[in-house]
Amino acid sequence: MKPRHPLFQLATWKRLAANRIPGQVVIQYTDRCNAACAQCGMRRTSTFERSSMDMQQARMLIDAVAERGVQSISFTGGEPLLHLDEIALLMEHAGRAGIPFVRTGTNGFIFRGHESPGWEDKIKRMAERFAATPLNTFWISVDSADAEVHEKNRGFSGIVAGMEKALPIFHEAGIYPAANLGINRLTGGDGPHRLPSYTGPATDDPNTSAAAWAFYAAARTAFRRFYRMVHDLGFTMANACYPMSFEDEGDAVYAATSEDDFISFRPAEKALLFRALYETIPEFRGELRIFSPRSSLRALVRSYATGEPQGYPCRGGVDFFFVDCKDMNTYPCGYRGSENLGKFWDLDLGALPAPDCRRCDWECFRDPSEMLGPVMQALRNPLALARSIRRDTEAFKVWAVDAAYYRACGFFDGRKPPQYERMARFAKTDSLAEPIQT
Ligand code: SF4
Ligand code: SF4
């Protein structure tokens, strides 16, 4: 049986009142990968010694995660579905251990060969196998609104047509996959849709110069093209991974980073890029369940525009962790590779430091940190929250709309169809790009 949603568990509220989030562990089951992605050091042509976890140890890890009250685990890679049977067994184990949120995903190689005999039966078997597990979110990577660009980057042909054929089969089995965009310069396509470079000063107001406007407008078009494309393919849910290019990349234990121009954006570009995503999301909230919270994006826009940290610090290393497939050691996240916390089953979560890291924009950790920040503040220090709201009322309003939208999306339960009538009231048409008010 699927464990109850954490929001309906007393333990969750006790944890929040104690300034702790229900928690999340990203388990890198393998660093083996069959894709060719420019944005990632684990691409098939990279030469390093590959590893995958031992099943028995992975079960021990899941038990330790559950015993510590962590409520969400993600099985990532590499490509997790190179180990499909093991991942399915581990998801079942996680459900039995009482972990309510279980996620995994794919680079899409499973959609190759959609015209071959037996392909539909294969996808049906896979969907039914997953439906028998407590899988909550199943993400499928999509890098671009242009199918050819996506397939070229991944190194797989025909997979977008395969996705379109496979989605109804997954829906029939009761699984609603999420399109997972890793934001890049080709998000909207190549040629005229490629994002230009912006080398001007940092600003969150695209009206300040023609160059700022050109970059911002291109990013708006790219995100619109992307959301339209995944909606038309049959996706009901979408997420955006913020570009993972940052200064201390050498530290990363999780090699899903790159300095390739495809994914590298200067800080001044990021202010406008995140602004474009922030403005585009409401246009599609009525037709897609879009996980990316605008409150988180707003904080990123302001941080990159002003150079001053905004919003809530990341909970990586406090409530969120990354476990590496090579030696099963735990890290605060995949990027603070010099902070080896040892085996998860030896960790004392009570002895960890307060959150203060803002070194990167990893949305897996940043977005939930931002969404739960005001809740924890309300439970622990309502006066401090009142002061923050007075200081930046607009930020709180954006957060409140995000929270209401999350509810309308059934908290992104990928086992349920979207409720379009509830989502419709969050749909907004185009808005003018005026400076974000604080
Ligand atoms: S981004 Fe994912 S699919 Fe692409 S090379 Fe890296 S691990 Fe493989
Ligand atoms: S901000 Fe980035 S580097 Fe810091 S803990 Fe979070 S994910 Fe890790």
Side-chain angles (χ1 to χ4, degrees):
M1 197 180 74
K2 195 166 164 48
R4 277 200 314 170
H5 192 290
L7 273 182
F8 305 112
Q9 295 180 20
L10 183 62
T12 301
W13 291 93
K14 280 190 180 159
R15 229 177 141 92
L16 288 168
N19 203 22
R20 301 300 300 264
I21 280 179
Q24 172 183 185
V25 176
V26 175
I27 299 175
Q28 184 194 34
Y29 187 76
T30 182
D31 56 18
R32 292 176 58 214
C33 193
N34 50 1
C37 313
Q39 70 270 31
C40 179
M42 288 178 279
R43 71 184 82 85
R44 63 194 180 210
T45 49
S46 296
T47 47
F48 63 94
E49 201 179 323
R50 310 268 174 167
S51 333
S52 299
M53 281 187 180
D54 166 79
M55 277 290 275
Q56 194 46 38
Q57 289 216 322
R59 284 196 193 95
M60 268 173 73
L61 167 62
I62 291 167
D63 291 341
V65 166
E67 275 159 24
R68 283 156 181 78
V70 174
Q71 300 205 316
S72 171
I73 54 173
S74 297
F75 293 100
T76 188
E79 169 53 28
L81 299 198
L82 289 175
H83 297 273
L84 194 145
D85 290 334
E86 290 101 309
I87 295 290
L89 288 168
L90 291 173
M91 291 196 293
E92 284 168 346
H93 188 82
R96 282 195 298 274
I99 298 173
F101 283 119
V102 182
R103 304 184 171 110
T104 194
T106 181
N107 60 27
F109 82 98
I110 53 173
F111 304 118
R112 289 179 304 188
H114 67 95
E115 283 165 338
S116 318
W119 181 89
E120 282 184 33
D121 288 341
K122 181 189 83 175
I123 295 292
K124 193 161 181 270
R125 277 197 304 278
M126 190 185 301
E128 283 168 357
R129 178 72 187 96
F130 279 172
T133 75
L135 172 66
N136 183 282
T137 303
F138 180 50
W139 74 81
I140 298 172
S141 299
V142 184
D143 298 325
S144 176
D146 183 324
E148 227 176 277
V149 170
H150 171 65
E151 291 175 359
K152 187 169 164 221
N153 184 46
R154 294 274 152 177
F156 304 129
S157 58
I159 57 171
V160 174
M163 277 176 213
E164 192 169 15
K165 261 171 96 170
L167 283 168
I169 300 173
F170 275 96
H171 294 171
E172 179 70 27
I175 292 181
Y176 293 83
N180 206 35
L181 166 70
I183 297 174
N184 62 78
R185 290 199 189 262
L186 305 187
T187 293
D190 207 344
H193 296 296
R194 187 188 182 98
L195 292 186
S197 285
Y198 169 67
T199 52
T203 175
D204 64 358
D205 180 359
N207 294 300
T208 50
S209 70
W213 182 262
F215 181 82
Y216 167 83
R220 279 297 296 272
T221 305
F223 291 128
R224 280 184 175 139
R225 282 171 57 82
F226 177 81
Y227 285 133
R228 175 61 51 223
M229 179 252 204
V230 294
H231 172 268
D232 292 351
L233 279 180
F235 281 100
T236 67
M237 214 174 321
N239 184 39
C241 304
Y242 310 145
M244 284 307 297
S245 50
F246 64 107
E247 280 166 14
D248 304 324
E249 234 162 62
D251 268 4
V253 66
Y254 185 36
T257 59
S258 170
E259 287 172 13
D260 195 290
D261 178 62
F262 178 75
I263 194 155
S264 294
F265 292 92
R266 281 174 284 281
E269 289 183 309
K270 286 187 183 174
L272 292 167
L273 185 72
F274 290 133
R275 179 72 200 268
L277 184 56
Y278 173 86
E279 299 287 359
T280 309
I281 283 172
E283 293 177 38
F284 292 89
R285 273 186 164 176
E287 39 192 323
L288 276 170
R289 292 176 281 186
I290 299 177
F291 180 78
S292 314
R294 291 179 82 234
S295 44
S296 186
L297 287 165
R298 188 180 186 280
L300 286 171
V301 171
R302 297 293 300 149
S303 301
Y304 281 110
T306 63
E308 295 293 323
Q310 309 275 332
Y312 293 86
C314 176
R315 311 287 303 186
V318 181
D319 296 306
F320 300 161
F321 302 92
F322 176 87
V323 179
D324 178 37
C325 65
K326 274 190 295 301
D327 48 17
M328 297 209 56
N329 282 326
T330 311
Y331 296 85
C333 62
Y335 307 99
R336 284 162 53 185
S338 57
E339 295 170 62
N340 184 345
L341 303 172
K343 302 291 183 265
F344 198 85
W345 47 81
D346 293 330
L347 260 190
D348 175 4
L349 295 193
L352 293 163
D356 70 351
C357 187
R358 298 167 188 271
R359 270 172 57 187
C360 80
D361 307 327
W362 197 29
E363 77 297 328
C364 290
F365 286 6
R366 169 162 295 282
D367 289 347
S369 301
E370 202 65 52
M371 281 307 290
L372 286 166
V375 180
M376 280 185 294
Q377 229 180 352
L379 290 168
R380 278 182 63 78
N381 192 346
L383 273 179
L385 179 64
R387 278 196 297 274
S388 320
I389 295 173
R390 221 179 17 250
R391 223 178 14 252
D392 189 352
T393 309
E394 187 59 26
F396 184 72
K397 281 190 197 158
V398 172
W399 176 85
V401 175
D402 281 340
Y405 175 68
Y406 270 38
R407 195 156 171 264
C409 290
F411 298 100
F412 302 93
D413 184 346
R415 301 305 293 268
K416 296 204 174 114
Q419 293 184 279
Y420 291 116
E421 67 289 355
R422 293 183 67 193
M423 289 152 59
R425 75 187 173 90
F426 296 91
K428 299 267 182 318
T429 50
D430 197 1
S431 60
L432 292 174
E434 290 164 357
I436 290 178
Q437 301 299 324
T438 53

